[in-house]
Amino acid sequence: MAKDIENTSLELIFDIAEAFLDQFFDKGLLQDLPVIGTIYKSARLLKSIPDRIFLAKLFRFVKAIEMITLAERDAFRERLEKDPKTLQRLGDAIVLVIDKLDDMEKPELFGKAFRAYVRGAITYEQLRRLGAAIDASLISDLQQFGSLTTLAEQSLLEHLAGTGLTRPSTTSLTETGSHVFNRIETTETGELFQKLYRDKI
């Protein structure tokens, strides 16, 4: 099932997004809506739990991008038509990231990043960095980090070290000659994530 979705690339994602996703958990509507009905009927035949989980994560991702306007979508498609390699690479990246996410709330966060990419607010590299950071972090840390309005406690920033959202900022030399990191600071990717989390992009 995951391979079938991958082969449809971004076309499937946008088609689903148009289909009143706020109601897609209603089985009656699912069966009546184009594209969603097909996916739903196929999903009912799935025996694999991982495939069912992937499909559920894909729906949550799509839910986050339903606010993309028709004009934004068309402009994005025009950009991609000029660069077919980017289209394929992007479709593959979306599937790979969503498949790896270990919490059902993470696909929505990645969807926000994709939405910003469609609108031209972030680059492809930033999209990939955000996807990697979301994948590598605990959802509770992401939620706390994303909603910060003041300086974060060092313990939270330490938890996010190695995800790309934070980094060591200063070091000192101990008596034994080893370097010790004194503080952790938010990276540009971290600041970008906070803006996405608050829907500022």
Side-chain angles (χ1 to χ4, degrees):
M1 182 64 184
K3 285 296 183 182
D4 292 339
I5 294 174
E6 180 177 356
N7 291 337
T8 62
S9 193
L10 298 179
E11 189 68 29
L12 174 61
I13 292 172
F14 281 128
D15 286 343
I16 298 174
E18 292 175 347
F20 307 106
L21 285 171
D22 58 327
Q23 301 177 35
F24 71 73
F25 282 117
D26 184 320
K27 294 182 180 179
L29 288 176
L30 274 174
Q31 296 178 29
D32 294 336
L33 292 172
V35 180
I36 289 185
T38 301
I39 294 175
Y40 173 69
K41 291 172 185 175
S42 298
R44 291 176 63 191
L45 302 176
L46 289 176
K47 302 297 183 183
S48 168
I49 291 177
D51 285 346
R52 288 178 177 270
I53 292 174
F54 177 84
L55 187 63
K57 289 191 291 187
L58 179 65
F59 278 165
R60 288 177 179 265
F61 168 81
V62 172
K63 178 66 177 177
I65 67 172
E66 67 178 336
M67 288 189 291
I68 296 173
T69 66
L70 181 61
E72 290 170 337
R73 186 186 67 182
D74 290 343
F76 181 61
R77 277 185 169 147
E78 288 180 10
R79 296 204 319 264
L80 290 181
E81 285 175 359
K82 299 175 183 178
D83 189 1
K85 290 184 179 180
T86 296
L87 173 61
Q88 181 61 46
R89 184 174 60 168
L90 181 60
D92 291 344
I94 290 172
V95 171
L96 289 172
V97 171
I98 293 175
D99 188 46
K100 288 178 62 180
L101 297 178
D102 63 358
D103 188 283
M104 296 306 292
E105 295 185 53
K106 286 185 177 182
E108 183 176 353
L109 296 178
F110 184 55
K112 288 187 176 186
F114 180 70
R115 189 172 67 203
Y117 176 70
V118 169
R119 292 172 173 169
I122 64 174
T123 65
Y124 176 77
E125 181 179 352
Q126 289 173 319
L127 175 66
R128 292 304 306 270
R129 289 186 184 279
L130 286 163
I134 292 168
D135 173 46
S137 306
L138 287 177
I139 187 62
S140 56
D141 289 341
L142 289 172
Q143 292 168 336
Q144 187 177 351
F145 180 72
S147 59
L148 286 175
T149 56
T150 58
L151 291 177
E153 294 183 6
Q154 282 294 296
S155 60
L156 173 61
L157 299 184
E158 288 171 3
H159 291 160
L160 295 169
T163 66
L165 298 176
T166 65
R167 66 184 169 208
S169 60
T170 60
T171 62
S172 61
L173 197 63
T174 67
E175 294 180 357
T176 60
S178 60
H179 288 275
V180 177
F181 293 117
N182 295 326
R183 293 193 62 79
I184 306 293
E185 65 181 6
T186 301
T187 63
E188 291 181 7
T189 302
E191 293 175 354
L192 191 57
F193 174 82
Q194 290 174 328
K195 291 179 181 179
L196 289 170
Y197 190 87
R198 300 169 192 159
D199 294 320
K200 299 296 185 181
I201 299 180

